[in-house]
Amino acid sequence: MSTRDRNAGGTADELPRDPLLARVYREQADAAGGPPPALDARILAAARAAAAEPRRPARPALPWWRRLVVPVSVTAVVVVSATLTLMVHEEQEKGAAQRDAPAPAAAPAVVPAPAPSSAPAPPQPMPAENAQSVREAVRPETRREQASKRTTTGESTAGDADLAAPRRPAVAGSMRGNAAAESATAAPASPPLPQAQGGIADQAPDAARIGAGRAPVGAAALPPASSAPAAPAAPMAPAPLPFPASRAPAPAGGAAGEAVERRSASPGAPAADAAAAAPLAKPQGGPQGEPAQGARFKSRANVAGEAERSEEAAAPLQEPRQDALRTPEEWIREIRELRRAGRETEWRAALARFRERYPDYGIPADLRN
Amino acid sequence: MDVERSDEALMLAYRDGDARAFELLYQRHRSRLYRWLTQQCGSASVAEELYQDIWLKVINARGAYEVSAKFTTWLYRIAHNRLVDHWRTGARTPATIVAGDCEDEDDPLDHVAGNAIDEPQNDVERKRLGEALVRGIEALPAPQRETFLLAQETEMTLEEIASVTGVNRETAKSRMRYALAKLREGLKDWR
């Protein structure tokens, strides 16, 4: 019998087979037998045990969208969480930057001394672009009238506070409506919009420049210059300094405003203060009132130039700067030493300056007479 | 009645909790599967271990069983995968597993003499021929041996064998041709 007689090679679709080999294999396999009975018993026992278990109902096939619910939900939660985390982080960074930004501005802010009411406030040339924008925004005459009205009545508006608080004017101004608009026009030199539009990085330099040039002391503690009674004479005259930065600033338009009035009413302004006011409003010729108003419309560029000019005038500022940097206790101690040394004129002048600077500070009894 | 039921029907019955159906199914396939494994492994102990594992897999997979193919194909696919796992553990060298896949060569059966093997004349010769065949099967490369044993122990078609072994039809056919050629060559001088 041939091994290739039938289907040996197989057709294209059939499995090659060899009947003789298959038969021999079958005979050999039958003799080999099957698995041991013990193995059969174990398997059958396992099968019966499995069949005896209560059959869990087969879960119906879920639609495709049900299968994606969990991963999509998890992904959404992760994305939202990450986004919120980033947003909070950015807000915190912004907040920290805003808190830090006034620091360089506040440091020089305490440096210049307040301008005396009698000191002339020379005009500051306003750049053409700023002047144009200001003219478009508001008529100065109207603003002056409103400012003088508020000054005479002792009224202080939120816009006034904005003048002295250049840090958050964008948001605050939008919330305050007309008052903010007034403040923006009445004090364009205060940088509400540029700060709001510019990044945090350029806020500090601007604030430093502004502080060096104009001394918006203690941010919100300062009343607007326009609210001072002697606005025409010294519109840029800064308010009396509150206690050093460690002390809580007086509310805008409150005690600080009163301090301005008191200082403005004081007849004898120290020469040092006058010198300090000089760089703030350099005489450029022209009437006193108009230049003073013009000086208030300083832009950033103008402020930068002013900062450079203020460096030139740094020397006259030394004494007021020392006054500002000293603590009241130190100052009082120095006054006592002057008095003890018999320098009558000097200690009285120093005491007068001290009273102007710290009107609310209790003068020791030994210096009152 | 149960004898007439197909393997698939019995498996579905077992899936639904009929333990008797599994016993019938087991009786149908126990010897074939065991022999197939014994021939593949060359060791009764290893074959028993694999055999038990395979049936336990069948038992555990009953809940998800659906009639997508013949039960035999499904059973031997499980067995093939378990055997491959066994081979991968180092029981056999990979060279042994993959050797013999030479599809580009000529038909190996053409090189085998057509009347090389004669019918055994008595039981002694038949037994000697059987023993020679077993030795020849053990000497085959694993894929060819697996294909040959599947063809002998089951009545699978070429497609089913290809499906079980995870190759295409031509590869399965080639393996079978090589296996037959080598076995014939080995049994040529069995006397």
Side-chain angles (χ1 to χ4, degrees):
Chain A
M1 180 179 170
S2 170
T3 57
R4 300 193 66 183
D5 54 353
R6 281 184 301 157
N7 198 25
T11 61
D13 296 330
E14 292 178 354
L15 189 66
R17 295 184 186 276
D18 189 322
L20 178 59
L21 287 178
R23 192 163 25 141
V24 172
Y25 177 84
R26 182 63 50 205
E27 290 172 357
Q28 184 66 23
D30 290 342
L39 187 57
D40 290 341
R42 283 202 299 268
I43 293 170
L44 290 174
R48 287 192 204 100
E53 291 176 1
R55 182 168 174 259
R56 286 173 295 184
R59 287 190 302 178
L62 295 174
W64 64 270
W65 60 270
R66 288 285 301 275
R67 291 194 296 269
L68 294 177
V69 163
V70 171
V72 167
S73 303
V74 170
T75 306
V77 167
V78 168
V79 168
V80 169
S81 302
T83 307
L84 285 176
T85 304
L86 289 175
M87 288 175 62
V88 169
H89 187 65
E90 287 179 0
E91 288 297 322
Q92 287 176 346
E93 283 184 348
K94 280 182 185 174
Q98 286 179 351
R99 280 194 302 274
D100 295 342
V110 297
V111 171
S117 58
S118 60
Q124 189 71 10
M126 180 170 53
E129 52 182 326
N130 292 335
Q132 180 65 28
S133 62
V134 168
R135 274 194 294 272
E136 290 173 359
V138 65
R139 285 176 297 205
E141 296 79 10
T142 310
R143 293 285 157 231
R144 277 198 299 274
E145 290 172 7
Q146 293 175 352
S148 58
K149 279 180 187 173
R150 284 199 302 269
T151 304
T152 51
T153 58
E155 179 187 358
S156 179
T157 64
D160 293 335
D162 280 349
L163 283 175
R167 283 160 49 189
R168 302 188 193 90
V171 177
S174 63
M175 294 172 64
R176 290 167 186 160
N178 292 335
E182 287 178 10
S183 69
T185 54
S190 64
L193 285 177
Q195 280 194 356
Q197 293 169 354
I200 295 172
D202 61 349
Q203 287 180 8
D206 289 344
R209 273 184 250 125
I210 293 166
R214 290 192 47 206
V217 179
L222 271 183
S226 61
S227 65
M236 286 301 297
L241 291 175
F243 286 171
S246 60
R247 300 201 176 192
E258 295 176 36
V260 169
E261 292 175 0
R262 247 181 282 164
R263 190 199 37 155
S264 302
S266 66
D273 291 352
L280 298 178
K282 285 191 173 180
Q284 298 291 328
Q288 283 187 343
E290 287 300 319
Q293 283 294 335
R296 298 179 58 217
F297 296 122
K298 283 180 286 188
S299 67
R300 276 179 163 187
N302 203 11
V303 168
E306 191 176 335
E308 295 174 2
R309 287 190 293 275
S310 68
E311 291 176 1
E312 299 168 3
L317 285 174
Q318 289 304 318
E319 190 173 354
R321 181 170 293 142
Q322 288 177 356
D323 292 349
L325 294 175
R326 277 180 302 204
T327 63
E329 291 78 11
E330 289 173 350
W331 202 347
I332 289 292
R333 207 180 310 123
E334 291 177 6
I335 293 171
R336 276 204 192 95
E337 289 173 1
L338 288 174
R339 187 182 186 189
R340 225 177 286 130
R343 297 158 71 175
E344 189 71 20
T345 311
E346 293 178 7
W347 80 261
R348 288 193 184 281
L351 184 61
R353 281 208 313 276
F354 180 84
R355 279 181 172 149
E356 281 186 6
R357 187 67 53 88
Y358 303 117
D360 297 333
Y361 193 88
I363 303 297
D366 57 333
L367 296 179
R368 283 181 189 157
N369 50 0
Chain B
M1 175 94 179
D2 284 339
V3 176
E4 297 173 358
R5 292 165 70 183
S6 67
D7 293 345
E8 294 77 25
L10 290 173
M11 189 61 199
L12 288 173
Y14 176 62
R15 185 194 68 181
D16 295 335
D18 186 358
R20 175 65 184 161
F22 180 83
E23 291 177 9
L24 290 173
L25 198 61
Y26 181 77
Q27 291 300 328
R28 285 184 189 179
H29 296 279
R30 57 183 284 276
S31 297
R32 292 178 182 178
L33 180 62
Y34 183 78
R35 281 197 303 269
W36 183 78
L37 285 170
T38 305
Q39 295 286 352
Q40 294 273 39
C41 301
S43 165
S45 60
V46 174
E48 287 177 12
E49 179 187 344
L50 298 181
Y51 178 81
Q52 181 172 318
D53 287 350
I54 291 164
W55 280 111
L56 289 178
K57 284 179 182 292
V58 170
I59 292 168
N60 293 330
R62 72 190 188 285
Y65 178 77
E66 297 290 342
V67 184
S68 58
K70 284 175 66 177
F71 174 79
T72 309
T73 306
W74 183 62
L75 173 66
Y76 280 88
R77 189 178 298 134
I78 294 173
H80 168 80
N81 293 334
R82 182 66 186 86
L83 195 60
V84 170
D85 290 342
H86 171 68
W87 286 336
R88 283 175 181 164
T89 60
R92 298 239 180 174
T93 62
T96 309
I97 297 171
V98 300
D101 285 344
C102 303
E103 300 177 29
D104 296 335
E105 293 183 4
D106 296 336
D107 189 347
L109 292 177
D110 295 340
H111 303 289
V112 180
N115 297 320
I117 303 175
D118 294 333
E119 282 284 337
Q121 300 300 317
N122 52 46
D123 290 342
V124 175
E125 288 183 353
R126 198 177 298 274
K127 186 177 179 182
R128 287 179 57 197
L129 180 60
E131 291 172 352
L133 179 62
V134 170
R135 285 194 299 273
I137 292 171
E138 289 176 351
L140 288 174
Q144 295 173 16
R145 181 172 60 239
E146 183 183 30
T147 304
F148 175 80
L149 291 173
L150 280 173
Q152 301 304 320
E153 293 292 349
T154 68
E155 295 179 350
M156 289 184 184
T157 63
L158 183 63
E159 286 77 12
E160 289 168 346
I161 290 175
S163 173
V164 167
T165 55
V167 297
N168 58 39
R169 290 176 68 258
E170 293 306 315
T171 301
K173 189 173 183 177
S174 173
R175 286 175 177 176
M176 189 64 185
R177 286 176 178 276
Y178 272 97
L180 290 177
K182 287 178 182 176
L183 289 175
R184 284 175 188 167
E185 187 69 22
L187 295 178
K188 185 171 58 178
D189 299 324
W190 67 274
R191 287 178 190 274

